[in-house]
Amino acid sequence: MYSLKGLTAIAVFSVAVLMTAPSALAGSVDLIIGLKERTPIATLAENATRFGITYTPEQIRKAAAPSDDEYRNVIDNLKQQGFTIIKETKSHLFVTVRSDQSTIENTFQTRLSEENGVRRLQSYASLPSYLNGVKTVVGFDNSNKRKPHFKVANDESNALFSAMTKKKPLTQPGVLPAKIKSSYGFDPIYKTGVTGKGQAIAIATYDGLKVPEITAYFKKIGLKTTRKVDVVSFNGTAPYNADSAMETELDAEFSGMIAPGADIHIFASNENSDAGELAMFTAILDDNRAKVVNYSWGSCEKSLAAAHKTAMDTVFLQAVAQGVNITVASGDSGSDGCDDGSTVADYPASNPSIIAVGGTTLVGSSSTFETAWNGSGGGISGIYSTPSYQSSLGNPYIKRSVPDVAFNADPKSGEAAWETNSGGSSSSPTWVVLGGTSIAAPQWAGFLALVGEARAKAKLPPVGFVNPILYGLTAADMKADFSDVTSGSNGKYSAASGYDAVTGLGSMKASALYSKLTSKTIKLK
């Protein structure tokens, strides 16, 4: 934050020099206002990871949000300037407001333009002194879009399936759920009766979808449960988009395949933008039913705006404070997270408060033999320092490094979802074999839901943010709980013994890791 003609700059954006006046906006604009914390949210997150103290949104309000007087002062000043209050989070850390172009430009001393629905800042936005309780503002610019991290497989996937099982599937192509579960060691968990019952998985995503395709998937693979699959509305009704729907439906299907008893709540933002992403995660945390969230979308870390980074850092720390694990696909472009020939990490996989899930290739027939998938997103963050749980990794991992863990993701060893193929010729649902870290992350989410049920049955608190636990395992436990992937590369980085920026710590040995995470005491090094 720095002074600028009596105002405070609240964001840094690349500002284009226009030779003509910016075009007027088509309508009103929603902004999300982030407020300064009275107690840093990082302190609450540390309490959660170190001492197992987790918070509800209402408790976060009492412990960290501005005082009621400070909060009301910000709200009243916004109203006086002509803003309409659209939504207030339960934590009182974020407020969504709406106004017209003139009010926004006058209040924040900036200029906005819009072309073909894309809105951009034309000058730095600044904060008036009467809003000194504000930390950041998101929503001036809606140009940064996230992309889904799935890939549709070709016929090679069926060839590999045949090699692994010695036969062609009669109805479902790709590597079958039973094969995934046996290969990664889930079967002993299911034999105890644990299915994720009583747990909730939130799917963070964009645009509309077809819930019947998700429920049909579970029936087709023989999962007869009383699970709930619903869509939670929070920023309007999201229009259907075929590409987005493929991502959303596979996330719900594959997380639910691993945790067949868990409820699935889909939070689909109606806008793919910085504000849309922020609104989605604040809604999930306000809802507070799910202790596991999956997000299989991302963008180049270099495109992350300063104001949005500030806001999302707060949100992801709030998730840690609430005991919520967020599994995020690490990307499908290897070490080139921007698809421009550079070596850049994907965001939000690079955020230290989430679990970044990379990808492997399944090979072999009797047990799990994996190599690193060459598309597995991984690398070293350009913006985040080394989190304490990665402090022992050493060179070259001197900043936040991703991924943390891995799972099957290569389209050649892809898994089939039941949905309408956006690139296909039919408008009806069918089996679509998919790969990408989008299929890896939700299966880790399902695993964590199984852990959640077991801990609840044992009257233990939620496991909390697992990265410090995973990185803190003893060498013996690490060997017992993870398959260390040591061959293959993603471009810049190669898989190797121990941690690497292709597959992280490796892929789970589900039963062993489950036993560790559901024990009353977890021994760390």
Side-chain angles (χ1 to χ4, degrees):
M1 307 274 271
Y2 57 90
S3 295
L4 180 64
K5 295 182 180 179
L7 302 170
T8 302
I10 54 176
V12 177
F13 294 86
S14 297
V15 181
V17 177
L18 300 183
M19 302 306 293
T20 58
S23 57
L25 272 58
S28 59
V29 174
D30 286 3
L31 301 177
I32 302 181
I33 310 291
L35 285 82
K36 294 177 182 177
E37 302 116 65
R38 184 171 69 255
T39 298
I41 192 69
T43 299
L44 275 60
E46 185 175 6
N47 289 343
T49 54
R50 291 186 62 189
F51 308 115
I53 302 170
T54 56
Y55 302 81
T56 65
E58 293 82 3
Q59 289 170 333
I60 288 173
R61 172 182 170 180
K62 292 179 180 179
S67 69
D68 288 345
D69 287 344
E70 292 169 330
Y71 181 80
R72 186 50 51 191
N73 183 60
V74 171
I75 296 294
D76 289 344
N77 278 319
L78 287 167
K79 288 180 177 179
Q80 288 173 13
Q81 297 306 309
F83 289 91
T84 300
I85 308 302
I86 301 300
K87 183 178 181 181
E88 303 174 52
T89 62
K90 293 178 180 178
S91 67
H92 275 196
L93 294 178
F94 294 94
V95 179
T96 302
V97 300
R98 178 176 297 161
S99 196
D100 56 31
Q101 179 177 359
S102 176
T103 298
I104 291 171
E105 291 179 338
N106 290 336
T107 301
F108 297 105
Q109 293 295 289
T110 190
R111 298 293 302 278
L112 302 178
S113 70
E114 184 176 289
E115 184 175 356
N116 297 324
V118 178
R119 188 172 63 251
R120 299 181 189 275
L121 274 176
Q122 299 301 307
S123 62
Y124 294 118
S126 302
L127 188 67
S129 59
Y130 55 81
L131 292 179
N132 59 3
V134 171
K135 182 178 180 179
T136 191
V137 182
V138 174
F140 296 117
D141 185 303
N142 69 353
S143 63
N144 187 29
K145 306 298 181 184
R146 287 84 187 138
K147 60 183 179 181
H149 287 318
F150 72 85
K151 290 184 175 293
V152 178
N154 55 30
D155 290 339
E156 291 176 294
S157 61
N158 281 327
L160 182 63
F161 175 86
S162 298
M164 294 175 68
T165 63
K166 308 301 182 184
K167 64 181 181 180
K168 280 282 188 180
L170 297 176
T171 57
Q172 182 180 353
V175 181
L176 296 181
K179 179 65 181 177
I180 291 295
K181 293 176 180 180
S182 63
S183 294
Y184 283 99
F186 284 94
D187 291 339
I189 300 174
Y190 300 132
K191 287 179 180 178
T192 68
V194 170
T195 63
K197 186 177 180 180
Q199 302 299 297
I201 300 171
I203 304 299
T205 190
Y206 300 94
D207 305 322
L209 65 144
K210 297 177 180 178
V211 171
E213 294 185 0
I214 299 170
T215 54
Y217 168 84
F218 296 130
K219 292 180 180 178
K220 288 179 177 294
I221 65 172
L223 294 181
K224 298 178 181 179
T225 71
T226 57
R227 78 166 81 240
K228 176 189 293 184
V229 180
D230 59 16
V231 178
V232 182
S233 178
F234 58 92
N235 66 348
T237 302
Y240 179 79
N241 177 283
D243 284 336
S244 301
M246 286 189 69
E247 179 60 73
T248 304
E249 291 169 24
L250 80 87
D251 289 345
E253 290 172 11
F254 290 169
S255 60
M257 178 266 286
I258 295 295
D263 290 338
I264 298 173
H265 306 303
I266 300 169
F267 290 76
S269 175
N270 69 1
E271 182 180 33
N272 185 335
S273 67
D274 288 353
E277 182 176 60
L278 180 55
M280 176 170 60
F281 278 101
T282 55
I284 290 171
L285 295 178
D286 261 5
D287 184 81
N288 201 35
R289 283 179 292 177
K291 293 303 177 185
V292 182
V293 180
N294 184 78
Y295 188 45
S296 292
W297 298 72
S299 59
C300 168
E301 192 183 65
K302 291 190 296 187
S303 67
L304 179 62
H308 188 53
K309 175 186 178 298
T310 297
M312 294 307 298
D313 286 352
T314 298
V315 168
F316 290 142
L317 284 167
Q318 181 180 340
V320 174
Q322 290 183 209
V324 175
N325 280 294
I326 303 174
T327 55
V328 175
S330 69
D332 297 342
S333 302
S335 58
D336 180 8
C338 293
D339 287 317
D340 63 359
S342 59
T343 303
V344 181
D346 207 75
Y347 181 85
S350 62
N351 187 287
S353 298
I354 59 87
I355 307 160
V357 185
T360 65
T361 302
L362 272 183
V363 295
S365 58
S366 59
S367 61
T368 303
F369 295 97
E370 294 171 284
T371 60
W373 175 47
N374 61 11
S376 178
I380 301 170
S381 174
I383 58 177
Y384 288 107
S385 299
T386 306
S388 58
Y389 58 78
Q390 288 189 322
S391 60
S392 64
L393 295 182
N395 286 327
Y397 309 116
I398 57 175
K399 299 191 79 170
R400 164 61 169 155
S401 300
V402 293
D404 296 304
V405 295
F407 203 87
N408 179 44
D410 190 338
K412 292 181 181 179
S413 56
E415 303 169 43
W418 181 258
E419 52 190 355
T420 302
N421 186 351
S422 62
S425 58
S426 174
S427 59
S428 300
T430 185
W431 288 116
V432 184
V433 179
L434 300 167
T437 51
S438 279
I439 76 168
Q443 294 182 87
W444 262 92
F447 167 73
L448 291 172
L450 299 178
V451 171
E453 181 193 351
R455 291 186 66 86
K457 282 184 173 179
K459 301 188 184 305
L460 296 172
V463 69
F465 182 43
V466 298
N467 276 10
I469 298 174
L470 301 183
Y471 283 91
L473 292 173
T474 65
D477 284 341
M478 189 70 73
K479 185 175 181 179
D481 299 340
F482 281 91
S483 295
D484 189 6
V485 182
T486 58
S487 63
S489 72
N490 65 356
K492 172 72 173 180
Y493 305 99
S494 296
S497 179
Y499 179 87
D500 57 71
V502 190
T503 61
L505 299 171
S507 61
M508 73 175 80
K509 295 178 181 178
S511 181
L513 184 58
Y514 166 89
S515 295
K516 195 66 48 59
L517 296 178
T518 57
S519 63
K520 291 183 179 179
T521 58
I522 301 173
K523 183 180 179 181
L524 302 178
K525 59 187 176 185

